[in-house]
Every structure is written in structure tokens, then in C-alpha cells.
Amino acid sequence: MNSPSTILYFTSSFPDHKTLYGFIEKVDPEVVKYVEVGFPSSDPRYDGPEIRETHEIAEKNFHNGHLEQYAEILGKKGVRTYLLTYYRDLARQSSDFIPHLGDSGFSGVIVPDLLVDYSSIAADVIGEIQDSIDFIPFFNPATPDGVIERISGMTESWIYYGLQPATGIHIPYDLEEVSRRILDLLPGREVNFGFGIRSMDQIGKIMDLGSKGVAIGTLLVPMVRENRLQDFVALQRQIGEVQDHVKG
Amino acid sequence: MFKYYTMMVDYMLSTQKNDLIPEKWYNVVPDLPEQLPPPLDNEKNKSSIELLNSILPREVLKQEFTFQRFLKIPDEVREIYEQTGRPTPLVRARGLEKYLDYSGKILYKYEGATITGSHKINTAVPQAIYAANEGVEKVVTETGAGQWGTATSVAASFAGIKAKVFMVRISYQQKPLRKKIMQLYGGEVSPSPSDETEFGRSMLKQNPDHPGSLGIGIGEAVEYALDHNLRYLVGSVFNSVLTHQSIIGLETEKQLEIMGTEPDVLIGCVGGGSNFGGFSFPLMKKFKDVEVIASTAAEVPKFTKGEYKYDYVDTARILPSVKMFSLGADFMPEKIYAGGLRYHGAAPSLSMLVNTGRIKTVDENQESVIDALKIFSRTQGIVAAPESGHAIATAIDYIRRHKDEKKTVVVNVSGHGLLDMSIFRDEQ
């Protein structure tokens, strides 16, 4: 039986470290399998307006030490932590940044612009990351079949599949067709879906179709911004109910 | 060989010709060598991608971002395609072969045979049908030389809805016949910049005699669509448009099969890239090693002097930016006869394939284009559009340089030039 899980996305240090830390503390390991932490970027180009705004604020508050603290607390709960970073920002870090992430408890890295803007060096970057931690391939409907097959073959981790060209927007698509495509291309591989997922109904449908998990980001932004912790707890409970329903 | 041509004629003249109209369009995106860079928002706190939801027919938007390789052509669209003159002929250019003393083969796909005289109708029809099916009563677009506006007007008429066309002011003044044809088809035509939009008014304030440009026309049409809750029809550049135009290449593929011929070289002209992509992409999928050459105007050297970068699609900067070869959204091209080639950028998928080197490019100047058009008219009897003249000029040059190689060269002639005769004004 399918055992779907949930992935939460938070931009590091948004709206400030203390507030976000409070949310991380409330992550429910019964519902949430992974947490993606966004590395603040001055050009989060493939994110939608709401997430872009979080980067703008987070950049001012960010400290590398915050990442370690998030990973530590999530690790104690048994929830895996992944860093989502644009390659442009990753390339500016020191050479021990990735190994240090691994030492700090991060399980892997997601780099949404690597295959789009840096395809000629992607293989080398993936190899370098995988010397320390997992590289999570990020694909979307615009990723050619050949690229999906090639990059998946270089990795053994789960796959992140974006349903939309950017987060938090609503381009019409046929959910069944879109999810079937990637599940058929990569049979047996753990595929988690994200980008533009906003309702419980959508989450349920995606899980029903055979996705191992669903990533939620934009939906959380107002809650975190306004420090609505109780709403966050309630949301996780609702998602848990959807997961239980799908598990049957 | 005679047998193949007899079969071809049979296909063209009998009811079987409908068999040549494909049942599905081809979308190149899943077959590209790299991931297509997604469109980007122009402003930090606003989504211009989301804005597309408000202006494009829903089905067009869905097709814009689809991963599906083949998309079913709705039956009503196929029926109208037949009414518009599809399949268009693939003709062996024996007169040109003789003129060039060429022992290989020259074939041309003639999109000028459609009712509006160009390939533009291939995407106007599905877009208008999709819009009408959503219940909108009017569609809006811009036009430069007038071919796209003409196609939109007649497609809207077929779909039982109205069309509003912002026509680049200089063309509006210089091409009264184009305006008349659009009006005959039921189109409502306004010179752009106009006083009907805020953007147009701002342009006229800067210069009351502003000649207009395609970028300004797009800006006005999009604003008008937003203000009046209409649907905006896209003439080129977008993936969905290239997908609709794939009917050119898919038909050509079947026609080549009937002829028992495989192409060695494909040549077409590039404005925004829709006729070129529609013609070449399906054939590149079938014939992996085929040489492919994009012919552009030397006066608009987007591939040779432009940069492969994210840039604005329209001068008003309303639509999302896309990664493409571009001379910059503010580039003001020289006045050349081939108005359809005056666009500053080119479709993202085509740009990527040029950037990777899969597609070669050639710039043709107006003089060589006029020569090519004269040769083509005298050897084949076709007065091709000035835009198509670029492809013909490139083909003639290619054949002259590869005379002894006996290659099969297939050229897409995207339209006729019977409404562009002023190009020959100074010719004897």
C-alpha cells in the first residue's frame, strides 16, 4: 500500500530565525517526512512572488548557523532535512560548505536552476555533491525525457517533480497526466510532487495517484509570516487525515 | 519516380487528401536536448506568468506548459484546417533545379496556398476555437505586416466570435489592402499606438506620429484583453504556437514518405520562429541527421549579433520574459519589406537549438532576398512573401555552394507575397 508523506518548505530565517525555529519545533514527524530549507537568494528566479518575498526578508536575517539548528532539531524528530539552494548561491560558498552540511545533519541538496541554467556543468556538480550528501534531482513538465533519464541514472535519491513552472501559480494542467508521466518514466523510484499545491483536495488527489509525497511551501508563507503556530499545527493534522485516508 | 508524383497528385486532388492532415500536433519540448528555461516574472512582487491565466485561452495555456509530445487536434479544428486549404502542397521545384543546374532535388512546402496566404492560420484557428469554447465573444491581438491579423480575423469569424486587431501604425497607413481584408473578415482594426489603451496613449504622448512597433502592439493588445476580459491570441514565439504550426512539418513528413524521399537539408525563415519550428521540428525528430538552417534578415540579426538571454517579449513588459536570442526588447529594426521578420527575439525552443549548434543560421540582406524572389517567381511561378524570400535566398546560396552533392533540400515557403508587391517597385 502506498504510504504517502509530506514535505514542508520554509525559507531559512524567514521572517526571523526565532519565529521559524518555533515552527520547526512544531513539525509533526507522524505527518512530515522531509523538510526543505531554502537558502536565501537575491535572485530566486524560479519561485513565485510569495516565496520571492520571503527570500528578500530572509537574506537580511540569515546566518549559516541557523541551518545547523534547524537540521539538529529535525534530526531529533527523525525528519530529514534538505537544503534548497540556487546554484548561483551555492557556487559562492566555500568548498567545505556541502561536506559541512552533511556533518550538520542535512541529508541532501535540491538545486532548482542547475539543469536549466548550468546544464553543461551539471554532471560535475552532482558528482561533487554526492561525495558528501544526496543530490535530489528537480524536474518539471518542461524537463525533456532524455534529461530525466540521464540525471536520474546518476543519482539514487528521491525525485522532486514540480507541477508548475514556478511555485504558487496556477497554470492549468491535467494532474493525472502530469503525474503519470514521471511515475511511468521512473518506475519504482520515490517521486515527490511540489510547486503550486494549495488545497487538501489536491494533496489527496496527488497521493491517490501514487505519489510518495507532496511538498507544500507557498501555503505556509502567510502562517509563518504572521506567526500563526496553531494554524500550522492544525494544517499538519488535516494533512495527516488526508494521508490516513489515502493509506486506507 | 513518376509513380510517386502520380500518387502525390492523387492525394492532392482526391478526398484522400485529408489523410495528410495529421490527427495530432507535435510538441518539441520533451525531445529537447536540455531543459527549456521557464518564463520569468518581470517584477519581484507580481506574477506575469499568473497573468497569462487571465488573457490566454485555457487550453492554449495548458499546451504552453505541457510535457505531452503529441496533442490531439480537435475534430472541429481539423475540419476547419481542410477549409483553409490544408494540406498545403509539397512541390518539387523543377524550374529552380533547372535554373541552378542542380542534380539534387529542391522541394518546397507552400504555406502560401492557405486561404489567408500564410502559415499564420494554422494557429489562429485552434486559438480562436478554444477561446470561443470558453464563451468569450471577442479575441484581441496585434499585427505587424498584417498576416497574423488577417488570420486572426478569419479564424474568429469561423469560430463565430469577433476579433480586435491592433495594427502597427506604419503598416496601417502603408498597407490599406491588408486592413481591408481584415475588415472584410469581420476584424475591427485600430492603428497602434492607439488612444484605446493607457500604454498606447503614453506612446502617442511621447510622439503623436509614432510609427508603432510589434512590441507596442502586443502591449496594447494584452492591456485591452485585460481591461475588457477578452482572450489574447498569440502569433508566434510561444511553445503552443510552434506546436500548432507543427502541422507544416507533419504534413511534409507524410508527403516525403509518399514521394519516397528523405530530406538532407531543411531551410526556413525566422521572425518569431513559428513557421520555422513548425516546419523543422517534426522533421528533425524523424530524420536525426538532417541539416537545418534558419534564415533571418541581416537587418534583424538576432542570432548572429543578439544574445542568448532572458528578455522581454513585448515592449510594454507585461508578458513574462523568456530565454531567447534577442537584440533587446527596445531594438528598433530598419524598415524592411519583410515586416514579419522585424521581431527582436525568437522562440525559446528554437533559440536553444541554435545555441547548442543543432540549427545553423544565416543572415540574408534585402537585396539578395529580392533577387531570390525574382528567380523563384520566374522559375516556379510563385510570388513568395518577402519573409519567405529569405529562406529561398538561403536555399539558392546553399545549392550553389553544394552543387555536386545531389542533396534533397526542402524549403518552407511560409506565405505568398501578392500583397507585398511594393517590394518590386524599383525593379524592371
Side-chain angles (χ1 to χ4, degrees):
Chain A
M1 194 57 187
N2 184 31
S3 53
S5 58
T6 297
I7 302 162
L8 300 182
Y9 169 84
F10 299 102
T11 304
S12 178
S13 322
F14 170 81
D16 56 69
H17 177 56
K18 192 179 161 202
T19 305
L20 182 58
Y21 193 83
F23 274 76
I24 300 274
E25 277 186 313
K26 291 285 182 192
V27 166
D28 180 353
E30 294 296 315
V31 176
V32 178
K33 189 175 181 185
Y34 309 139
V35 167
E36 300 167 58
V37 179
F39 189 90
S41 173
S42 57
D43 183 19
R45 50 174 53 197
Y46 300 131
D47 280 297
E50 272 197 274
I51 301 272
R52 284 204 297 267
E53 202 185 328
T54 67
H55 280 266
E56 205 174 342
I57 294 165
E59 264 202 302
K60 294 168 194 158
N61 303 329
F62 178 71
H63 185 275
N64 270 354
H66 297 167
L67 298 176
E68 292 169 22
Q69 292 180 42
Y70 304 142
E72 188 188 350
I73 193 165
L74 289 166
K76 282 179 186 163
K77 289 169 182 274
V79 175
R80 288 191 187 186
T81 315
Y82 294 86
L83 186 76
L84 189 146
T85 177
Y86 284 85
Y87 182 71
R88 186 170 168 267
D89 301 300
L90 185 60
R92 287 179 185 153
Q93 305 304 312
S94 60
S95 58
D96 64 349
F97 180 73
I98 293 288
H100 184 70
L101 273 183
D103 295 342
S104 305
F106 276 79
S107 299
V109 182
I110 305 161
V111 191
D113 58 343
L114 183 67
L115 302 180
V116 181
D117 296 325
Y118 303 93
S119 61
S120 61
I121 57 166
D124 291 341
V125 173
I126 293 168
E128 212 174 306
I129 290 172
Q130 290 191 140
D131 285 343
S132 303
I133 49 178
D134 282 349
F135 173 82
I136 312 298
F138 176 83
F139 304 132
N140 68 26
T143 315
D145 293 359
V147 174
I148 291 177
E149 283 158 359
R150 192 172 71 243
I151 301 297
S152 302
M154 294 168 65
T155 60
E156 289 176 353
S157 61
W158 56 277
I159 304 290
Y160 192 132
Y161 194 70
L163 296 165
Q164 295 279 0
T167 62
I169 62 169
H170 296 87
I171 299 298
Y173 62 92
D174 184 317
L175 182 59
E176 188 164 355
E177 275 179 7
V178 171
S179 48
R180 185 56 51 211
R181 180 238 188 166
I182 188 75
L183 295 171
D184 286 351
L185 270 175
L186 303 173
R189 193 81 179 250
E190 179 184 342
V191 180
N192 296 304
F193 292 79
F195 274 41
I197 296 168
R198 292 191 174 191
S199 68
M200 288 302 137
D201 184 45
Q202 239 182 335
I203 292 169
K205 276 183 190 158
I206 293 170
M207 288 179 174
D208 269 337
L209 289 168
S211 161
K212 291 291 180 190
V214 176
I216 297 163
T218 308
L219 196 62
L220 300 174
V221 172
M223 280 180 208
V224 181
R225 187 196 293 122
E226 293 153 27
N227 199 10
R228 288 191 272 121
L229 263 178
Q230 289 315 308
D231 288 352
F232 175 58
V233 171
L235 178 76
Q236 290 184 96
R237 199 166 46 237
Q238 272 183 289
I239 296 172
E241 284 166 13
V242 174
Q243 285 179 185
D244 289 343
H245 176 74
V246 174
K247 277 179 198 166
Chain B
M1 188 53 70
F2 179 74
K3 188 180 77 177
Y4 292 125
Y5 287 98
T6 307
M7 282 169 66
M8 193 67 199
V9 168
D10 285 348
Y11 263 92
M12 301 311 300
L13 297 179
S14 76
T15 51
Q16 289 180 60
K17 72 174 190 174
N18 293 349
D19 297 344
L20 288 175
I21 301 176
E23 291 181 359
K24 290 177 178 175
W25 291 300
Y26 169 63
N27 168 31
V28 75
V29 171
D31 289 325
L32 289 171
E34 295 170 10
Q35 183 163 337
L36 198 63
L40 286 189
D41 290 331
N42 298 325
E43 290 177 49
K44 219 165 194 174
N45 300 319
K46 223 165 108 183
S47 176
S48 35
I49 304 172
E50 185 83 39
L51 171 92
L52 298 176
N53 270 309
S54 312
I55 56 169
L56 295 184
R58 188 181 159 81
E59 197 58 31
V60 174
L61 188 55
K62 204 171 155 187
Q63 291 171 351
E64 187 61 28
F65 292 101
T66 188
F67 66 90
Q68 297 278 11
R69 190 171 275 109
F70 292 101
L71 304 173
K72 186 181 181 325
I73 304 175
D75 291 343
E76 56 193 323
V77 172
R78 279 190 88 226
E79 280 168 24
I80 297 178
Y81 274 163
E82 191 191 334
Q83 301 299 311
T84 66
R86 303 218 71 86
T88 55
L90 178 71
V91 182
R92 178 139 179 206
R94 290 189 185 276
L96 186 60
E97 287 173 8
K98 197 173 167 191
Y99 173 83
L100 295 170
D101 190 23
Y102 186 52
S103 48
K105 287 181 200 162
I106 307 170
L107 301 163
Y108 66 96
K109 176 73 169 166
Y110 188 46
E111 289 297 293
T114 66
I115 51 169
T116 56
S118 86
H119 67 289
K120 293 289 189 183
I121 193 74
N122 301 334
T123 183
V125 167
Q127 290 189 59
I129 293 285
Y130 291 137
N133 288 346
E134 282 178 20
V136 299
E137 291 176 353
K138 199 177 194 179
V139 290
V140 58
T141 196
E142 74 293 326
T143 194
Q147 290 172 341
W148 172 237
T150 305
T152 299
S153 298
V154 72
S157 185
F158 284 159
I161 55 177
K162 292 176 182 163
K164 165 89 175 171
V165 181
F166 287 92
M167 185 174 191
V168 173
R169 184 175 286 270
I170 188 84
S171 299
Y172 183 90
Q173 290 162 346
Q174 291 180 349
K175 297 188 172 187
L177 281 181
R178 269 291 175 196
K179 181 177 62 186
K180 275 282 167 226
I181 291 171
M182 285 185 260
Q183 289 169 336
L184 185 67
Y185 284 139
E188 183 191 319
V189 189
S190 298
S192 170
S194 74
D195 60 3
E196 295 174 64
T197 67
E198 202 181 315
F199 184 58
R201 286 189 291 275
S202 72
M203 291 289 119
L204 288 174
K205 201 175 170 186
Q206 284 174 29
N207 176 8
D209 299 317
H210 202 301
S213 72
L214 206 53
I216 293 170
I218 296 172
E220 284 211 89
V222 170
E223 185 187 325
Y224 193 89
L226 281 169
D227 286 352
H228 295 80
N229 197 24
L230 304 176
R231 290 292 173 270
Y232 168 69
L233 302 198
V234 194
S236 191
V237 181
F238 279 45
N239 295 329
S240 47
V241 176
L242 272 68
T243 297
H244 299 154
Q245 293 294 357
S246 69
I247 193 161
I248 305 171
L250 292 165
E251 278 180 13
T252 306
E253 187 184 326
K254 284 191 190 178
Q255 289 165 321
L256 287 166
E257 194 183 321
I258 292 164
M259 286 180 172
T261 301
E262 293 194 0
D264 297 303
V265 189
L266 304 174
I267 299 173
C269 66
V270 175
S274 71
N275 94 80
F276 183 86
F279 166 64
S280 61
F281 290 170
L283 295 167
M284 287 164 70
K285 178 171 170 54
K286 170 88 176 174
F287 306 104
K288 302 285 181 208
D289 298 325
V290 70
E291 192 175 348
V292 191
I293 305 172
S295 180
T296 50
E299 296 81 359
V300 192
K302 61 191 79 173
F303 294 128
T304 48
K305 295 192 177 140
E307 200 185 327
Y308 184 50
K309 62 176 184 181
Y310 270 101
D311 202 4
Y312 303 106
V313 171
D314 58 314
T315 311
R317 300 171 185 193
I318 300 174
L319 296 173
S321 296
V322 295
K323 194 165 185 183
M324 60 181 174
F325 271 96
S326 174
L327 291 158
D330 296 324
F331 173 76
M332 283 304 283
E334 278 179 44
K335 284 180 191 167
I336 54 170
Y337 290 108
L341 305 191
R342 293 177 80 235
Y343 187 64
H344 65 275
S349 51
L350 169 58
S351 292
M352 173 192 279
L353 291 167
V354 169
N355 192 50
T356 59
R358 175 65 185 90
I359 293 174
K360 296 173 194 163
T361 66
V362 172
D363 290 341
E364 297 289 349
N365 62 40
Q366 196 154 266
E367 200 180 332
S368 63
V369 170
I370 291 173
D371 283 346
L373 288 169
K374 281 159 66 179
I375 293 168
F376 200 64
S377 65
R378 287 168 194 177
T379 56
Q380 294 302 135
I382 300 275
V383 180
E387 291 83 358
S388 317
H390 290 71
I392 297 166
T394 298
I396 290 173
D397 183 51
Y398 183 93
I399 287 159
R400 282 179 172 149
R401 286 187 290 107
H402 298 81
K403 207 158 187 168
D404 302 323
E405 293 179 26
K406 294 191 177 181
K407 291 184 175 181
T408 297
V409 178
V410 187
V411 186
N412 190 40
V413 176
S414 57
H416 72 61
L418 294 173
L419 290 169
D420 298 286
M421 295 304 289
S422 57
I423 192 171
F424 302 111
R425 193 168 35 211
D426 301 326
E427 303 296 317
Q428 294 301 313

